[in-house]
Amino acid sequence: MGYLFGLVGYPARDSKSPWIHEQFLKKQGEQGAYRIFETSPDALEDKLQALKMVEVDGFNVTVPYKEEIIPYLDEVDSYASSVGAVNTVHVQDGKWIGYNTDGKGYVRSLLEEYPDTNLKKTQVLILGAGGAARGIYRALAEAGAPVIDIANRTASRGEALRKLRCGSTESSVLSLEEAEEDLSHYDLIVQTTSVGMTPNESGQIISLRNVKPNAIVSDIVYKPFETSLLKEAKNRGARVLNGHGMLIYQAALAFEQWTETFVEANDIVTKFEQQLKGDTTC
Ligand code: ATR
């Protein structure tokens, strides 16, 4: 009998996760299936109770349930607990154990693309302070980044994110205007908001006029294929990282957790990008 994985979210039917996990299953020579368990908020409790009756090996959790799932879990690992959100549940001996692979997936995609990056010497600026920023902040802090500044439209959310600081990481909260002015201080800029996402592709959270030529500018938005921010970064001679790798590697880390195997996923990123280029649905 093969594995059974799935996704709990709403809406979830257009998720790329089934495709991604089918690639992993095929690549690892494993039997199994990945199903979408789309669940509206008023049905969450019943859906989760029903899921407990099914022989599921693990599932992902997406918007809007990454925090709401926590009371239904038997255990939450320390990283997910500090981030306050779970995107992966592993069912082990009937127990539901929560993990978060989003931020770690980002860091893995960064190091796959730019393996010479020494995060212990990298000055980081994160744009945005929402759920996506939380996972990335914590993963970069745990990797030893000495400075992780946060620029957000709403300062109070930036302050809340700063509380995730650990180790010797230093953090300041800036306005978006201050970030634009001081951009030359940073080696890595991580755009985590939805600004610039299809269908609002002309949106750009800040100008990059002060970016350092060799800095890495990354945008976790994966549609359009290249955001306005990344186009400007390239034009200014910066290195770029799009959101495709993060999407694949957060999934790879979940798959690795469920199957206790290692997935080399670079070729899946390439295949995914080929698919996106050919996708004309939006
Ligand atoms: P997610 O979980 O995807 O990160 P979220 O928690 O709603 O989503 O966070 C969205 C982030 O995008 C926030 O940092 C938000 O800024 P605020 O905290 O000020 O709301 C940011 N954001 C969204 N739209 C924005 C816009 N038009 N300009 C600037 N920031 C924006």
Side-chain angles (χ1 to χ4, degrees):
M1 223 177 67
Y3 286 109
L4 177 60
F5 306 131
L7 173 67
V8 173
Y10 187 78
R13 71 187 57 162
D14 293 331
S15 166
K16 309 282 185 200
S17 293
W19 182 87
I20 297 170
H21 285 280
E22 276 156 24
Q23 304 305 308
F24 294 156
L25 285 165
K26 221 184 293 172
K27 188 176 166 122
Q28 304 294 93
E30 299 282 2
Q31 296 294 312
Y34 187 103
R35 307 226 184 283
I36 289 184
F37 307 120
E38 190 171 72
T39 311
S40 63
D42 55 350
L44 181 66
E45 178 140 12
D46 289 347
K47 190 72 166 197
L48 293 176
Q49 293 305 345
L51 208 52
K52 293 229 170 188
M53 304 295 141
V54 178
E55 298 267 309
V56 65
D57 297 289
F59 58 95
N60 290 121
V61 183
T62 189
V63 180
Y65 303 129
K66 289 185 186 184
E67 293 166 31
E68 267 182 72
I69 189 77
I70 291 174
Y72 298 95
L73 303 176
D74 297 297
E75 283 171 38
V76 179
D77 96 318
S78 64
Y79 174 84
S81 171
S82 62
V83 173
V86 162
N87 79 328
T88 299
V89 176
H90 189 187
V91 183
Q92 282 180 298
D93 303 325
K95 278 191 176 170
W96 283 13
I97 306 171
Y99 298 88
N100 191 315
T101 66
D102 287 329
K104 291 178 185 175
Y106 170 78
V107 170
R108 189 149 144 198
S109 76
L110 172 71
L111 297 177
E112 289 283 339
E113 187 75 18
Y114 298 109
D116 56 342
T117 305
N118 180 355
L119 284 170
K120 292 196 167 67
K121 293 192 171 160
T122 301
Q123 315 266 321
V124 183
L125 173 69
I126 295 185
L127 301 168
R134 290 180 72 78
I136 292 173
Y137 181 101
R138 185 71 188 199
L140 288 169
E142 288 193 6
V147 170
I148 311 178
D149 289 347
I150 303 151
N152 195 47
R153 180 175 60 180
T154 309
S156 57
R157 286 188 92 189
E159 290 295 346
L161 178 53
R162 198 158 75 106
K163 298 206 173 96
L164 291 189
R165 211 173 55 211
C166 62
S168 56
T169 299
E170 290 181 10
S171 276
S172 302
V173 176
L174 316 176
S175 67
L176 292 169
E177 294 72 22
E178 286 167 333
E180 220 171 63
E181 281 309 310
D182 295 347
L183 212 56
S184 62
H185 298 174
Y186 302 102
D187 309 303
L188 172 65
I189 295 149
V190 193
Q191 199 302 107
T192 69
T193 78
S194 53
V195 178
M197 189 189 287
T198 302
N200 302 311
E201 296 178 6
S202 61
Q204 190 174 318
I205 186 135
I206 58 168
S207 152
L208 298 177
R209 65 176 186 280
N210 292 325
V211 74
K212 268 208 293 215
N214 203 34
I216 300 172
V217 178
S218 62
D219 196 333
I220 69 162
V221 167
Y222 67 87
K223 225 167 176 188
F225 196 91
E226 187 168 72
T227 60
S228 165
L229 187 86
L230 294 189
K231 283 188 187 132
E232 185 185 349
K234 265 189 186 168
N235 288 338
R236 293 190 183 277
R239 295 178 288 166
V240 299
L241 179 71
N242 63 34
H244 310 147
M246 176 175 171
L247 185 70
I248 302 299
Y249 282 107
Q250 61 76 28
L253 288 164
F255 189 91
E256 289 177 356
Q257 175 66 47
W258 296 330
T259 60
E260 291 167 7
T261 59
F262 174 77
V263 193
E264 203 294 294
N266 266 335
D267 56 330
I268 312 290
V269 178
T270 308
K271 215 166 158 184
F272 178 71
E273 293 194 319
Q274 283 162 352
Q275 226 201 28
L276 274 186
K277 280 183 180 157
D279 183 354
T280 52
T281 52
C282 53

